[in-house]
Amino acid sequence: MKEYSAFDILGPVMIGPSSSHTAGAARLGKIASEIAGTGFYKVVFYLHGSFAKTYKGHGTNKALVAGILGLDPSDEKLRDSFDIAKSKNIKVEFIEADLGYQHPNSVKIVFKYHDKEDFYVMGSSIGGGSIIINNINGVQVEFTGAYPTIILKYPDRKGVISVISSILANAEINIATMRVTREGNIATMICELDSQITDDVIKEISNFKDLAYIRFINTRRS
Amino acid sequence: MFNKGSELINLCNEKQAKIFEIVIEKEQKTSGLSYDEVIKKMKETLEVMKSSATSALNKEIVSVSGLTGGNSKRVQDYKNNHKTISGEFINSAMAKALSTSEVNASMGKICASPTAGASGIVPSALLAAQEKLNVDDDMLVNALFTAAGIGEIVAKNATVAGAEGGCQAECGVAAAMAAGAITEMAGGTPSQALTAASFALINIMGLVCDPIAGLVEYPCNLRNASGVINALISADLALAEVQSLIPFDEVVEAMYKVGKSLPESLRETAQGGIADTPTGRKLSDEVIK
């Protein structure tokens, strides 16, 4: 049986009106932008299902924009996120879309850059402010952002899993979950951890050769 | 640790402790935080609740969609200027419940208790009881742990999501949490606290979730106002030693079964109930476009 904290029941402290359509949307935006990386000049949100139907009344649009600007779901600046985006010269666009067989509260967030190709992240808000990220640039993934997370893409070869796990073990970081998938010869590893990722670990893993993509997400659900 | 109401009562009896003491101890164990840290965190939660429960009393706050707003102030003004039917205490509690509801719908800061849609009930019930019992904020913080313990049992054995169990799982559970917390704060035993929680759930068993346009506004705000009253009277019934014939755990299970047997149209889809009235549909068309 899942254990709850008193602050799961009396919480989260959040900007209303809906934990799934507002707080969850802000978290989706925030984690997506951490995965994509900064420097984007425009973000397009493809809203699916209930997100598409009710996003204006729930402030889902404002929450998503607040998220990509790095604001937390409890930040009262959330409702002014459009103005903040404007002042930072970041354009936003909302498109109602059918993303296929997805949870009803899903969004595909496309980040546009001047100097590199588009980057997209897809995720769902699954209730109570919790989320799942399920696609990064076409690669199926599944993680919640509730834990510090390492995302790696690399040409598949022997021994990577054991090297990563020993780097983490040496730093006394426990692995909560580890998933590795492969498309073609490119492997994607998602590793959720029980404690924050230290600078030394980031440095050591970044030294790996042939990494196609690497991201460290230290946000923890407060 | 406890998963059931019966286990919680056994723990209270074994340790000669109140519910809130058991819940605080468990929170310390699972989070690794000290007693002071856990209390401090709940104090911050209480501050958010106080602010949301009072900020719409004297200022008209309108929702993002424009569908609702200003009701907290209406009730507050009415209470201050008229001879009311149900009295100052009840009207004051309703105004506070509406306040949090309106803050929530206007993209203000609230604490989900246990959800955003039902977030008006626990704060208003506790603040009303605080006035009546003349207790300090430390007692309210303890009461919030009692409320969290009761909510946790429901979350583990049933649901607190309207999409899964209807409004009884949101406003019903919020009222149950508040009823139990007030009962304990007023000097009731742990058993009486769970009896109060049972009454609150029984009183609204089967309540559907039918928000107009799928927005957390109407009838949500009305059900926050009636939910706080449900909490207050359930606490009084239990403190008066009215006996609950059905144990809390069985009431929770019944609530879950009822929730699951509700058609999907009555579980937060805006396809039934008040949302599916001709006027409800018309209002929905107006706010959604």
Side-chain angles (χ1 to χ4, degrees):
Chain A
M1 206 171 258
K2 177 179 185 263
E3 272 306 319
Y4 288 86
S5 154
F7 302 99
D8 294 330
I9 304 295
L10 292 176
V13 169
M14 53 168 270
I15 302 302
S18 162
S19 55
S20 53
H21 288 68
T22 320
R27 276 171 50 72
L28 276 170
K30 186 169 182 192
I31 289 172
S33 76
E34 283 170 17
I35 297 168
T38 51
F40 45 85
Y41 73 94
K42 182 176 179 179
V43 183
V44 185
F45 300 91
Y46 293 88
L47 303 164
H48 171 86
S50 174
F51 265 17
K53 271 189 239 163
T54 66
Y55 72 97
K56 280 181 191 157
H58 279 130
T60 307
N61 47 356
K62 291 179 183 172
L64 285 166
V65 171
I68 59 123
L69 295 171
L71 300 182
D72 283 319
S74 64
D75 195 320
E76 290 185 277
K77 292 197 290 288
L78 192 147
R79 70 183 115 179
D80 305 319
S81 64
F82 283 16
D83 293 337
I84 302 171
K86 212 171 184 181
S87 72
K88 292 188 170 180
N89 278 325
I90 295 171
K91 291 195 185 74
V92 297
E93 187 181 357
F94 297 88
I95 297 171
E96 292 168 30
D98 183 353
L99 298 176
Y101 188 70
Q102 292 287 335
H103 185 282
N105 298 332
S106 294
V107 60
K108 177 181 176 183
I109 307 176
V110 182
F111 296 86
K112 294 184 174 290
Y113 300 84
H114 287 301
D115 54 348
K116 57 179 178 179
E117 283 180 18
D118 290 359
F119 192 104
Y120 78 83
V121 177
M122 233 159 87
S124 309
S125 177
I126 55 170
S130 297
I131 62 156
I132 279 186
I133 299 293
N134 43 40
N135 195 315
I136 300 174
N137 262 350
V139 178
Q140 301 282 337
V141 295
E142 192 185 311
F143 67 99
T144 64
Y147 297 90
T149 306
I150 299 175
I151 308 167
L152 292 179
K153 273 173 88 168
Y154 51 89
D156 196 22
R157 57 186 184 271
K158 289 189 202 87
V160 174
I161 295 173
S162 77
V163 175
I164 297 287
S165 30
S166 55
I167 291 175
L168 292 169
N170 288 338
E172 307 221 338
I173 296 175
N174 190 50
I175 297 173
T177 69
M178 183 187 259
R179 280 190 207 89
V180 183
T181 51
R182 191 172 62 184
E183 275 177 39
N185 73 329
I186 297 290
T188 301
M189 177 191 292
I190 309 277
C191 199
E192 294 181 304
L193 309 167
D194 281 335
S195 49
Q196 299 285 308
I197 309 159
T198 59
D199 290 343
D200 287 346
V201 166
I202 292 176
K203 215 167 132 190
E204 229 176 312
I205 295 178
S206 305
N207 280 339
F208 260 54
K209 57 174 195 246
D210 296 338
L211 284 178
Y213 172 87
I214 179 167
R215 209 58 100 215
F216 302 93
I217 301 168
N218 253 333
T219 50
R220 199 176 229 297
R221 193 171 168 189
S222 57
Chain B
M1 300 295 167
F2 55 88
N3 294 324
K4 299 272 185 183
S6 56
E7 294 167 10
L8 178 59
I9 297 296
N10 286 343
L11 278 175
C12 289
N13 289 340
E14 260 168 46
K15 302 190 174 184
Q16 290 293 302
K18 294 279 200 181
I19 292 176
F20 73 80
E21 292 172 305
I22 302 288
V23 178
I24 291 172
E25 197 187 311
K26 173 188 167 268
E27 187 66 30
Q28 283 178 251
K29 257 188 211 154
T30 50
S31 67
L33 297 175
S34 70
Y35 175 84
D36 289 347
E37 286 167 325
V38 169
I39 294 291
K40 182 170 169 273
K41 218 171 152 186
M42 196 58 97
K43 272 191 179 148
E44 290 163 10
T45 301
L46 177 63
E47 288 312 311
V48 173
M49 289 184 170
K50 277 187 176 177
S51 166
S52 69
T54 51
S55 52
L57 294 176
N58 301 306
K59 188 177 70 183
E60 186 168 315
I61 296 184
V62 177
S63 69
V64 179
S65 73
L67 183 64
T68 59
N71 289 329
S72 173
K73 184 170 184 299
R74 278 185 197 103
V75 175
Q76 181 78 356
D77 290 349
Y78 164 71
K79 169 202 79 124
N80 288 338
N81 303 317
H82 293 82
K83 210 171 167 182
T84 67
I85 304 291
S86 54
E88 169 148 9
F89 178 69
I90 294 280
N91 278 280
S92 173
M94 291 197 296
K96 290 192 177 81
L98 288 165
S99 175
T100 298
S101 251
E102 288 171 1
V103 167
N104 182 53
S106 70
M107 297 192 86
K109 193 192 274 194
I110 56 99
C111 175
S113 321
T115 63
S119 60
I121 295 169
V122 170
S124 57
L126 261 56
L127 290 175
Q130 179 179 39
E131 248 172 68
K132 207 69 163 182
L133 301 169
N134 199 16
V135 295
D136 61 17
D137 279 2
D138 292 345
M139 293 282 276
L140 284 196
V141 166
N142 289 341
L144 286 173
F145 282 104
T146 310
I150 292 169
E152 175 179 338
I153 294 168
V154 182
K156 279 177 167 172
N157 296 285
T159 176
V160 298
E164 221 181 323
C167 191
Q168 56 162 7
E170 296 207 16
C171 287
V173 174
M177 290 162 60
I182 293 171
T183 301
E184 189 165 74
M185 191 164 73
T189 63
S191 293
Q192 280 177 312
L194 289 197
T195 296
S198 303
F199 289 162
L201 286 175
I202 292 169
N203 287 344
I204 51 74
M205 189 160 292
L207 188 62
V208 303
C209 179
D210 51 353
I212 290 177
L215 303 177
V216 190
E217 294 192 43
Y218 195 95
C220 317
N221 46 19
L222 286 178
R223 289 184 184 146
N224 274 268
S226 58
V228 62
I229 307 313
N230 182 15
L232 297 171
I233 61 165
S234 295
D236 266 337
L237 287 169
L239 288 164
E241 297 190 6
V242 173
Q243 299 298 306
S244 175
L245 295 182
I246 312 298
F248 176 70
D249 291 323
E250 291 181 36
V251 173
V252 170
E253 199 189 334
M255 180 279 265
Y256 192 36
K257 279 188 186 160
V258 168
K260 282 198 292 193
S261 59
L262 287 174
E264 201 179 295
S265 62
L266 298 174
R267 285 187 280 119
E268 213 180 332
T269 52
Q271 309 288 315
I274 289 299
D276 191 38
T277 55
T279 305
R281 287 194 300 267
K282 193 174 133 243
L283 288 169
S284 172
D285 289 343
E286 282 169 22
V287 295
I288 273 186
K289 67 169 180 229

